[in-house]
Amino acid sequence: MTDSLGVAAPTDWWRSAVIYQIYPRSFADSNGDGVGDLPGITHRLDALADLGVDAIWLSPFYRSPQRDAGYDVADFCDVDPLFGTLEDFDALTARAHDLGMRVVVDIVPNHTSSDHAWFQAALAAGPGSPERARYIFREGTGESGELPPNNWESVFGGDAWTRVTEPDGTPGQWYLHLFDSSQPDLEWTNEGVRADFDDTLRFWLDRGVDGFRVDVAHGLVKEDGLPDYTPEQLDASSLDSETSSPHFAQEGVHEIWRRWHDVVAAYGPDRILVAEAWVHPLERMADWVRPDEMHQAFNFGYLMAAWDVAELRRIIDDSLATFGAVGAPSTWVLSNHDVVRHATRLALTEPNPQGHGLATDSAGLPDVEHGILRARAATLLMLALPGGAYLYQGEELGLPEALDIPGDARQDPTWARTNGERLGRDGCRVPIPWEADAPAYGFGPSASTWLPQPADWAPYARDAQRGIAGSSLDMYRSALALRKRHGLGTGTLTWIEAPDGVLMLDNDGVRVVANISGADLPLADLGGEVLLASRPLGDVLPADATVWLSHA
Ligand code: NOJ
């Protein structure tokens, strides 16, 4: 049996892989409508092979009314015409495989779009019907059911319940939506729902995908009785404590992941499941990657860690130990389509809760150049760690968060649902620049883009950085090549004693020094030959810089 890349003995490729997240709306547009699409991605795949990533992960491109940028799926087994066709998907997969890259797709099991045929059937069929049993419909409270069944809030702001009008025209039941009202939650105790998702997995596995990134993998099962709950604000300090909520991290989800594990394993050991599970502490998250469940989980504790020696060292140690204890690799991630880009986030001087976004007048914004230097230092530290790493499109270009997005251009449902109190996630989703001198910076053949691009992005364009020593793109390319050459993803980490404010580690012959202190470090004190640095070095390793040194 050969795997998707024609490798005779399938390997645990994912244990050390660098997986690049493509956000299809914003990667490359082939038809000039201002929204990225699958042919656009295929056309630009060479650039990712050139970068040196092992796999791509595609955020949703399925049929969807796009109320949550495609995380509101109306048909799990078809491509939305906005993005192309199933044939376009097959062409993309074939091209990626030819270039030696695996393909991971998103799957969104917690909810469907309200346009999904199941939800439309549930609305039409009325209370007590088998169609309604696929979702979480309940009677309201109050004298005539005019109040929601409980006090749960949507992750995007506002109530997590919406009342429907019954087929006879009367005000009726309420349905649960942990996200937007256009994303009704599925009832996962329903065997019809479970069996249908088994088929969806097989549909994409049969088309050759190498795995699934599982959306809201901590959701799906809700506590019996749906008790009231008042959430705590999630920040870095709360990641140590275990909180229990009636809609996240319920024990019942694990049975579903064991079932999915079996579906995927039937296609060979090289197909994977990756959990998007906002669960803390790490010991709890590790339950998602036990040997008979998923293969990897995003390490959001790492993503949320500040640029601080003690915090970083602790989360790195805890991650390696905790995931290692269940036989799973750790993963590392700094940016994705839900958080402020790390070129801006890591140098903020004010807290930035997830989903809050930033604008030009936000408090605590860093100087752009400083933010990028710090981000590059953080990236070089991350890419030296053993385990799998995730990159988010545009970070290799050093893109900062886009701050200047007018309210009427904002599309994240969070913005409307909180009446502008939370800006949402649009700032990290702006179409990326390819060519400095082309309309829309070469994103597509027209000047149109679904979110406005900043006027000063020409220097970030890929063609302005390719082959330029010291550019962000050049640093990422070199890092991925060296990481592979030295086997850092499968290596072993040893901490080395270092001055205050400095992280120093060895990983299989490479010494990594991250200077988080405010002071310069003489390079002569570090020994070894410089393999790669996050910024040009003279005699010292300056603050906010990381260097890789050869170390016998
Ligand atoms: C997590 C996804 O990453 C996010 O973009 C989406 O809005 C929610 N899940 C709901 O599907």
Side-chain angles (χ1 to χ4, degrees), residues 334-335 338-342 344-345 348 352 357-358 401 428:
L334 288 167
S335 279
D338 289 331
V339 300
V340 167
R341 284 185 176 277
H342 71 279
T344 304
R345 192 187 70 241
L348 283 170
N352 174 245
L358 295 169
E401 185 81 352
C428 64

Side-chain angles (χ1 to χ4, degrees), residues 114-290:
S114 49
D115 283 10
H116 193 288
W118 281 359
F119 192 71
Q120 289 303 314
L123 290 180
S129 60
E131 289 84 354
R132 286 222 173 161
R134 290 202 187 110
Y135 292 90
I136 304 178
F137 279 89
R138 293 289 184 278
E139 299 302 328
T141 54
E143 270 179 25
S144 52
E146 74 282 11
L147 298 174
N150 69 20
N151 73 345
W152 293 2
E153 285 172 20
S154 153
V155 172
F156 295 157
D159 278 346
W161 295 92
T162 291
R163 194 172 195 187
V164 303
T165 302
E166 298 300 354
D168 65 4
T170 58
Q173 290 190 305
W174 297 71
Y175 66 90
L176 177 69
H177 51 87
L178 292 182
F179 296 90
D180 188 52
S181 55
S182 64
Q183 294 166 294
D185 279 53
L186 285 164
E187 174 54 80
W188 269 88
T189 59
N190 185 299
E191 178 51 31
V193 169
R194 292 180 180 220
D196 194 79
F197 269 89
D198 293 347
D199 291 344
T200 298
L201 292 170
R202 292 191 189 103
F203 177 86
W204 293 105
L205 288 163
D206 286 339
R207 293 197 104 87
V209 305
D210 297 284
F212 300 90
R213 175 268 190 192
V214 183
D215 191 64
V216 199
H218 51 316
L220 279 67
V221 174
K222 280 77 182 175
E223 188 177 325
D224 283 345
L226 311 181
D228 277 353
Y229 172 68
T230 304
E232 289 168 32
Q233 187 65 55
L234 187 68
D235 63 20
S237 63
S238 58
L239 292 177
D240 282 341
S241 52
E242 180 159 343
T243 51
S244 65
S245 77
H247 41 59
F248 288 142
Q250 294 290 306
E251 198 45 41
V253 294
H254 296 293
E255 186 197 327
I256 300 167
W257 307 137
R258 287 192 281 272
R259 176 171 172 149
W260 282 32
H261 179 101
D262 290 345
V263 172
V264 169
Y267 285 77
D270 55 328
R271 314 285 183 114
I272 63 165
L273 294 168
V274 184
E276 189 233 9
W278 288 86
V279 175
H280 49 99
L282 272 179
E283 288 71 28
R284 188 115 184 263
M285 196 197 277
D287 288 350
W288 270 250
V289 289
R290 288 176 290 196

Side-chain angles (χ1 to χ4, degrees), residues 22-73:
I22 293 180
Y23 194 66
R25 299 179 71 86
S26 300
F27 188 71
D29 174 19
S30 73
N31 60 8
D33 66 357
V35 181
D37 47 44
L38 300 185
I41 296 169
T42 307
H43 172 65
R44 295 287 194 182
L45 278 179
D46 290 46
L48 301 186
D50 178 67
L51 180 61
V53 301
D54 301 297
I56 54 172
W57 146 38
L58 298 162
S59 281
F61 48 79
Y62 312 113
R63 271 193 192 267
S64 159
Q66 303 290 319
R67 299 264 163 67
D68 183 23
Y71 281 94
D72 49 323
V73 182

